[in-house]
Amino acid sequence: MVTVAAQNFFIEAQPYALEFDPAATALIVIDMQRDFVEPGGFGEMLGNDVSLLRGAIAPTIQVLKAARETGLFVLHTREGHVPDLSDAPPSKLARGKLETGIGDEGPMGRILVRGEEGHDIIPELAPIDGEPVIDKPGKGAFYATDLGDILQARNIATLIVCGVTTEVCVHTTVREANDRGYECLVLEDCVGSYFPEFQRVALEMIKAQGGIFGWVGTSSAAISALQSAASVAA
Ligand code: C5J
């Protein structure tokens, strides 16, 4: 791993290239949990085809590798609740009138409950030592978490965002981050939705109107920018 220098680089993106300082940039991987990506979890209980999310895994592995090699700060999030569900609003528990819903026993343990198998990040994208894992009860990663404090302590200004689902937890987090002054780049092939139309429109919404709440790019553009930063720092 190299130590990143305080110097600016560009990532090709839409609506225009995003200037970033690797020392002030973090990669955040949102909710790549078994509950969303594997059969038998929350995603499937909602009636979704979870295989639709799996396309985001391979490019995210490559982005994670490049980020780690560049010395970028990497964080992960997980959506879930404490075992007594006291951090889950009754409205969330009731939503969908599910036969098997949040807190109920499923094939990977209790659905969306911390400490259960389904709540784990998938092994392909497992965090390594030093990478914070933010446990969040909501869709946004800033709500009821210490994410804001962690980012501030490191003077982070830019977030590169991967994860699921594009129109729910990725969107909510990016909107929260944008309102707090962060510049967010969402990597289109590293985010996934159960609904192809939502994927397309959610990405359009981010970059529309001059980048109303962020940028959209690709894993290959991000990796090549990170590699340039790593080669300068080496
Ligand atoms: C959802 C998420 N879709 N991580 N959560 O309920 O997007």
Side-chain angles (χ1 to χ4, degrees):
M1 191 178 92
V2 294
T3 308
V4 288
Q7 185 185 336
N8 284 5
F9 294 86
F10 288 88
I11 303 181
E12 190 191 311
Q14 289 183 325
Y16 50 88
L18 173 64
E19 186 171 6
F20 75 107
D21 168 4
T25 300
L27 172 67
I28 183 162
V29 184
I30 297 183
D31 299 358
M32 289 302 288
Q33 297 162 253
R34 302 186 65 191
D35 254 324
F36 294 107
V37 175
E38 294 186 4
F42 185 55
E44 194 170 79
M45 297 303 159
L46 291 169
N48 299 305
D49 171 4
V50 294
S51 70
L52 286 163
L53 300 190
R54 297 196 67 85
I57 298 172
T60 305
I61 291 172
Q62 297 309 316
V63 171
L64 253 180
K65 183 170 177 286
R68 286 168 178 159
E69 285 171 0
T70 309
L72 230 59
F73 184 42
V74 175
L75 308 95
H76 306 256
T77 71
R78 297 185 295 205
E79 181 180 346
H81 299 282
V82 293
D84 69 3
L85 305 181
S86 56
D87 59 352
S91 58
K92 184 174 181 182
L93 298 177
R95 192 72 50 82
K97 300 184 173 160
L98 302 177
E99 208 167 283
T100 309
I102 297 170
D104 294 334
E105 203 62 49
M108 293 190 288
R110 291 180 66 205
I111 303 282
L112 226 57
V113 169
R114 294 183 192 173
E116 302 287 337
E117 233 177 280
H119 184 257
D120 279 346
I121 291 172
I122 56 171
E124 299 94 313
L125 298 173
I128 60 172
D129 279 353
E131 295 178 353
V133 177
I134 309 292
D135 280 320
K136 61 187 185 67
K139 305 304 183 193
F142 287 83
Y143 168 69
T145 73
D146 52 6
L147 176 60
D149 293 337
I150 292 173
L151 297 177
Q152 254 185 19
R154 290 199 167 236
N155 291 318
I156 297 296
T158 304
L159 298 175
I160 299 176
V161 185
C162 301
V164 296
T165 62
T166 314
E167 75 281 12
V168 184
C169 290
V170 170
H171 243 240
T172 308
T173 299
V174 168
R175 287 167 186 253
E176 285 181 330
N178 181 63
D179 280 349
R180 286 164 173 78
Y182 295 96
E183 304 209 293
C184 297
L185 170 68
V186 177
L187 301 183
E188 63 186 19
D189 49 338
C190 298
V191 294
S193 171
Y194 302 118
F195 305 92
E197 182 64 0
F198 290 177
Q199 169 84 356
R200 187 184 68 73
V201 173
L203 292 169
E204 286 293 329
M205 288 168 76
I206 292 167
K207 66 185 179 186
Q209 304 175 78
I212 192 79
F213 57 93
W215 282 256
V216 175
T218 61
S219 59
S220 59
I223 290 166
S224 91
L226 292 175
Q227 285 170 345
S228 301
S231 68
V232 168

Short mmCIF file of all heavy atoms in Angstrom, two decimals, residues 30-31 36 42 46 79 136 139 164-165 168-170 194, ligand 1:
data_model
loop_
_atom_site.label_atom_id
_atom_site.label_comp_id
_atom_site.label_asym_id
_atom_site.label_seq_id
_atom_site.Cartn_x
_atom_site.Cartn_y
_atom_site.Cartn_z
N ILE A 30 -21.90 0.08 -0.05
CA ILE A 30 -23.17 0.11 0.69
C ILE A 30 -23.92 -1.23 0.66
O ILE A 30 -24.25 -1.74 -0.42
CB ILE A 30 -24.07 1.23 0.11
CG1 ILE A 30 -23.36 2.57 0.35
CG2 ILE A 30 -25.46 1.22 0.74
CD1 ILE A 30 -24.10 3.76 -0.08
N ASP A 31 -24.11 -1.79 1.82
CA ASP A 31 -25.06 -2.90 2.05
C ASP A 31 -24.88 -4.11 1.13
O ASP A 31 -25.87 -4.74 0.72
CB ASP A 31 -26.51 -2.39 1.93
CG ASP A 31 -26.84 -1.31 2.95
OD1 ASP A 31 -25.97 -0.97 3.77
OD2 ASP A 31 -27.98 -0.80 2.92
N PHE A 36 -29.40 -9.01 0.94
CA PHE A 36 -29.88 -8.37 -0.29
C PHE A 36 -29.47 -9.13 -1.54
O PHE A 36 -30.16 -9.07 -2.55
CB PHE A 36 -29.34 -6.93 -0.38
CG PHE A 36 -29.90 -6.05 0.69
CD1 PHE A 36 -29.12 -5.64 1.76
CD2 PHE A 36 -31.22 -5.65 0.66
CE1 PHE A 36 -29.64 -4.85 2.77
CE2 PHE A 36 -31.77 -4.87 1.67
CZ PHE A 36 -30.97 -4.46 2.72
N PHE A 42 -33.63 -10.76 2.97
CA PHE A 42 -34.66 -9.72 2.94
C PHE A 42 -35.10 -9.41 1.50
O PHE A 42 -36.30 -9.30 1.22
CB PHE A 42 -34.10 -8.46 3.61
CG PHE A 42 -35.10 -7.34 3.76
CD1 PHE A 42 -36.31 -7.54 4.40
CD2 PHE A 42 -34.80 -6.07 3.28
CE1 PHE A 42 -37.23 -6.50 4.54
CE2 PHE A 42 -35.71 -5.02 3.42
CZ PHE A 42 -36.92 -5.24 4.06
N LEU A 46 -38.96 -9.82 -0.10
CA LEU A 46 -39.75 -8.73 -0.69
C LEU A 46 -40.26 -9.09 -2.08
O LEU A 46 -40.92 -8.28 -2.73
CB LEU A 46 -38.90 -7.46 -0.78
CG LEU A 46 -38.52 -6.78 0.54
CD1 LEU A 46 -37.47 -5.70 0.31
CD2 LEU A 46 -39.75 -6.15 1.20
N GLU A 79 -27.19 -2.57 6.43
CA GLU A 79 -28.51 -2.21 6.96
C GLU A 79 -28.97 -3.34 7.87
O GLU A 79 -28.87 -4.52 7.50
CB GLU A 79 -29.52 -2.03 5.82
CG GLU A 79 -30.90 -1.63 6.34
CD GLU A 79 -31.95 -1.45 5.24
OE1 GLU A 79 -31.59 -1.35 4.05
OE2 GLU A 79 -33.14 -1.39 5.60
N LYS A 136 -26.24 0.52 10.12
CA LYS A 136 -27.25 1.58 10.00
C LYS A 136 -28.65 0.97 10.07
O LYS A 136 -28.92 -0.05 9.43
CB LYS A 136 -27.05 2.36 8.70
CG LYS A 136 -27.18 1.52 7.43
CD LYS A 136 -26.80 2.36 6.22
CE LYS A 136 -27.02 1.65 4.90
NZ LYS A 136 -28.40 1.38 4.56
N LYS A 139 -32.15 3.59 5.63
CA LYS A 139 -31.69 3.45 4.24
C LYS A 139 -30.45 4.32 4.02
O LYS A 139 -29.52 3.92 3.33
CB LYS A 139 -32.80 3.83 3.26
CG LYS A 139 -34.10 3.06 3.44
CD LYS A 139 -33.91 1.56 3.37
CE LYS A 139 -35.22 0.80 3.48
NZ LYS A 139 -35.00 -0.65 3.72
N VAL A 164 -25.69 -1.60 -3.00
CA VAL A 164 -27.09 -1.88 -3.35
C VAL A 164 -28.01 -1.30 -2.28
O VAL A 164 -27.61 -1.15 -1.15
CB VAL A 164 -27.34 -3.39 -3.48
CG1 VAL A 164 -26.53 -3.96 -4.62
CG2 VAL A 164 -27.05 -4.15 -2.19
N THR A 165 -29.27 -1.04 -2.68
CA THR A 165 -29.73 -0.98 -4.05
C THR A 165 -29.64 0.46 -4.55
O THR A 165 -29.76 1.40 -3.77
CB THR A 165 -31.19 -1.48 -4.21
OG1 THR A 165 -32.07 -0.64 -3.46
CG2 THR A 165 -31.33 -2.91 -3.73
N VAL A 168 -32.48 2.85 -3.62
CA VAL A 168 -32.89 2.94 -2.21
C VAL A 168 -31.68 3.39 -1.36
O VAL A 168 -31.48 4.60 -1.16
CB VAL A 168 -33.52 1.62 -1.70
CG1 VAL A 168 -34.03 1.79 -0.27
CG2 VAL A 168 -34.69 1.21 -2.60
N CYS A 169 -30.87 2.46 -0.88
CA CYS A 169 -29.83 2.88 0.07
C CYS A 169 -28.69 3.67 -0.57
O CYS A 169 -28.10 4.54 0.07
CB CYS A 169 -29.30 1.66 0.83
SG CYS A 169 -30.56 1.03 1.97
N VAL A 170 -28.39 3.38 -1.83
CA VAL A 170 -27.35 4.18 -2.50
C VAL A 170 -27.87 5.61 -2.69
O VAL A 170 -27.21 6.58 -2.31
CB VAL A 170 -26.93 3.53 -3.84
CG1 VAL A 170 -26.04 4.47 -4.65
CG2 VAL A 170 -26.23 2.19 -3.60
N TYR A 194 -33.01 -4.31 -8.17
CA TYR A 194 -33.86 -5.43 -8.57
C TYR A 194 -34.71 -5.06 -9.80
O TYR A 194 -35.38 -5.90 -10.37
CB TYR A 194 -34.80 -5.82 -7.43
CG TYR A 194 -34.10 -6.21 -6.14
CD1 TYR A 194 -34.31 -5.48 -4.96
CD2 TYR A 194 -33.24 -7.30 -6.09
CE1 TYR A 194 -33.70 -5.83 -3.78
CE2 TYR A 194 -32.61 -7.67 -4.90
CZ TYR A 194 -32.84 -6.92 -3.74
OH TYR A 194 -32.23 -7.27 -2.57
C1 C5J B 1 -33.36 -1.80 0.71
C2 C5J B 1 -31.03 -1.19 0.52
N1 C5J B 1 -33.56 -1.80 -0.60
N2 C5J B 1 -29.84 -1.50 1.02
N3 C5J B 1 -32.12 -1.58 1.24
O1 C5J B 1 -34.27 -2.04 1.47
O2 C5J B 1 -31.15 -0.64 -0.55
#
